[in-house]
Amino acid sequence: MTKYNMLSAPDFMPVERLRDIQNRKFLAAFRRAYENVAWYRELLAQHQVDPSSIKSLADISKLPFIKKTDLRDTYPNGMLATSMDKIIRYHASSGTTGKPIVVPYTREDLDVWAECVSRCLTAFGLDENDVLQVGYGYGLFTGGLGLHDGGERRRCTVVPVSGGNTERHLMFIRDLNVTAIACTPSYFLHIIDHAQKIGFNWKDTKLKVGIFGAEPWTEEMRQFIESETGITAFDIYGLTEISGPGVGGECSSHAGVHIFEDHFYPEIVDPDTLEPLPDGESGELVFTTLDKTGMPLIRYRTRDITKIIAEPCACGRTIRRIGRISHRSDDMMIIRGVNVFPGQVESALLAVDPGLVNYQIHLSKGDAGLDVIEVKVELTREKFSELGDNTTSLEIFRRLIAEKLKSTVGINFKTTLVEPDAMPRSQGKIKRIYDNRNQ
Ligand code: DLL
């Protein structure tokens, strides 16, 4: 077998060929959306865009953006670009308010999706000899079925445990010689925690790879996970609207997420002015689906903030990378004029003690109407048995955390310590921010 199998070959194609493919596919995708979606024709008319002026990918910046609210407003099938007999599955992303976003998939869409997840698995070093346990939820959420289909496409043995049932996860990891697990990083923390409680020894397993995404996580978190379990942790990125997990994934260089840009064309724009930004600058990630037939999206605003890394990667892949998602534009907290990202809080906590992985951020209004930001941190069992009955030592530790938060973020945090196991654990995406400012 050659070093890279056929599935991963598109990752390594010459850049000129890639641009050529993107250009050709883009024109077809634009035409598909324009001809089949009345809503899209109206959008272009509103923005006075003459469709005949779109002649190549270079013209993409003439086109208006599609927003999350547009998908809610056209719920459920207003963006459908094909007849219903071609649709073979729906997924949906719940969001916190209003109608869900519902995404219809054709056979071709599911094929592209499975191919992309499979290309991720190849980059993670997995093949037909691997046993992949899926701990993402199965259902409308794309995590479970996405990794499942991609795992089968890569010819791994798939163990579809879904989210939750932590005891069973650990039992199968050991008994079925599982080599890779896919779940949210926060759920894997819970699995690690439970393993510690029951005296589970990771060295008794064959687990070597963790496939983590669906929520932000930091380099510090990667180090914690890897040092606790001895596995290698890979980042996988995606969103329901574009297909699900596997819009991009890391390679063994761990230096950004490669985007499968032969299927999903990425741009970065300034989230305020919506002007395109050059590679290397941070802004909002925007995708154009190049192959989707069920619900093609042209210039879809993800609200995820990152940058495109165009420099060649040490792995040899020519498809560009994005940096770690620093935050969603909705997750940025502006506290007394300072921008605060959850990732900064996580990095500060884990720099004080790598075990401080269970935390919550609470926002409220203080006496003078000013915003108060409180970080509640759960003590590790080790720290608790070391300091638990010594209030002075606890206070010193609390101040150490508060000072680290201040020096990292630049504002004062109310910092509260809570006992081990006091915080709810997550089985899927974890909720870290509790905003009570309007109550
Ligand atoms: O979370 C798809 C997915 C499933 C990705 C499993 C990876 C693994 P949604 O529920 O639509 O889809 O949420 C998409 O989650 O816009 C990001 O804000 C966030 N997100 C996804 N992957 C990552 C990641 C799935 N690796 C939203 N790092 C996206 C940071 C991520 N944030």
Side-chain angles (χ1 to χ4, degrees), residues 3 12 51 90 97 105 118 127 202 204 288 323 346 360 378:
K3 189 169 176 205
F12 298 90
Y90 277 117
T97 49
Y105 297 71
S118 177
D127 61 21
W202 293 98
D204 295 339
T288 294
E346 184 169 297
Q360 293 174 349
E378 190 182 293

Side-chain angles (χ1 to χ4, degrees), residues 10 16 54 74 133 142 165 192 215 250 252 254 278 282 288 315-316 323 348 365 375 380 384 402 406 424:
E16 309 72 55
I54 307 301
T74 53
Q133 185 153 304
T142 52
N165 214 332
I192 292 176
E215 62 188 14
E250 271 185 341
S252 53
H254 301 284
S282 252
T288 294
C315 72
K365 284 281 178 207
V375 174
T380 59
F384 189 67
K406 180 162 189 192

Side-chain angles (χ1 to χ4, degrees), residues 45 54 77 98 108 125 179 185 188 197 203 230 234 270 302 319 335 343 361 392:
I54 307 301
N77 283 328
E108 292 77 25
T179 55
F188 197 62
K197 269 191 205 153
K203 293 209 176 86
F234 288 89
D270 180 314
T302 63
I319 48 175
I335 308 294
I361 302 169
T392 316

Side-chain angles (χ1 to χ4, degrees), residues 88-347:
I88 60 170
R89 200 194 289 173
Y90 277 117
H91 279 280
S93 112
S94 53
T96 43
T97 49
K99 291 261 172 56
I101 286 171
V102 175
V103 181
Y105 297 71
T106 61
R107 176 74 267 159
E108 292 77 25
D109 296 339
L110 291 185
D111 274 347
V112 168
W113 183 13
E115 174 209 312
C116 290
V117 175
S118 177
R119 281 162 71 177
C120 285
L121 301 180
T122 305
F124 305 157
L126 304 179
D127 61 21
E128 64 276 17
N129 298 309
D130 283 287
V131 182
L132 169 65
Q133 185 153 304
V134 181
Y136 288 113
Y138 280 64
L140 287 170
F141 175 55
T142 52
L145 284 165
L147 264 299
H148 186 108
D149 290 351
E152 287 188 353
R153 178 70 63 99
R154 188 73 190 110
R155 303 227 174 279
C156 297
T157 309
V158 179
V159 189
V161 181
S162 194
N165 214 332
T166 310
E167 197 88 37
R168 188 180 296 176
H169 264 291
L170 286 168
M171 183 179 82
F172 282 159
I173 285 173
R174 193 190 48 225
D175 296 347
L176 301 184
N177 293 324
V178 169
T179 55
I181 183 157
C183 60
T184 58
S186 58
Y187 183 51
F188 197 62
L189 291 176
H190 180 36
I191 296 181
I192 292 176
D193 196 41
H194 194 72
Q196 195 196 35
K197 269 191 205 153
I198 63 171
F200 182 92
N201 189 348
W202 293 98
K203 293 209 176 86
D204 295 339
T205 75
K206 298 251 177 340
L207 198 68
K208 58 179 185 185
V209 164
I211 303 168
F212 304 123
E215 62 188 14
W217 56 302
T218 56
E219 278 307 305
E220 289 83 359
M221 187 69 87
R222 188 208 302 277
Q223 278 158 27
F224 174 77
I225 288 174
E226 292 187 344
S227 70
E228 286 292 301
T229 60
I231 66 170
T232 304
F234 288 89
D235 197 3
I236 187 166
Y237 170 79
L239 61 163
T240 317
E241 301 90 304
I242 300 303
S243 71
V247 171
E250 271 185 341
C251 64
S252 53
S253 305
H254 301 284
V257 161
H258 286 280
I259 296 294
F260 296 114
E261 54 169 327
D262 48 325
H263 295 300
F264 314 110
Y265 183 75
E267 293 175 88
I268 299 285
V269 301
D270 180 314
D272 299 319
T273 64
L274 300 183
E275 284 303 314
L277 294 173
D279 289 348
E281 279 190 34
S282 252
E284 181 173 343
L285 182 59
V286 168
F287 278 113
T288 294
T289 60
L290 297 177
D291 295 281
K292 277 188 92 177
T293 48
M295 191 179 85
L297 290 175
I298 311 289
R299 302 198 95 195
Y300 180 70
R301 292 181 59 184
T302 63
R303 301 204 206 169
D304 290 329
I305 307 293
T306 182
K307 61 180 179 190
I308 290 182
I309 305 169
E311 289 77 32
C313 182
C315 72
R317 284 180 176 73
T318 49
I319 48 175
R320 287 173 295 173
R321 289 165 285 162
I322 55 169
R324 227 171 230 288
I325 305 291
S326 65
H327 61 283
R328 293 176 67 81
S329 49
D330 338 1
D331 278 353
M332 189 179 79
M333 300 164 279
I334 303 178
I335 308 294
R336 302 187 293 274
V338 176
N339 298 346
V340 182
F341 313 123
Q344 292 174 299
V345 171
E346 184 169 297
S347 297

Side-chain angles (χ1 to χ4, degrees), residues 184 186 215 357-359 424-426 428-432:
T184 58
S186 58
E215 62 188 14
V357 291
N358 294 308
Y359 65 91
R425 299 301 194 243
S426 109
K429 293 181 195 249
I430 197 164
K431 181 170 161 67
R432 298 272 193 204

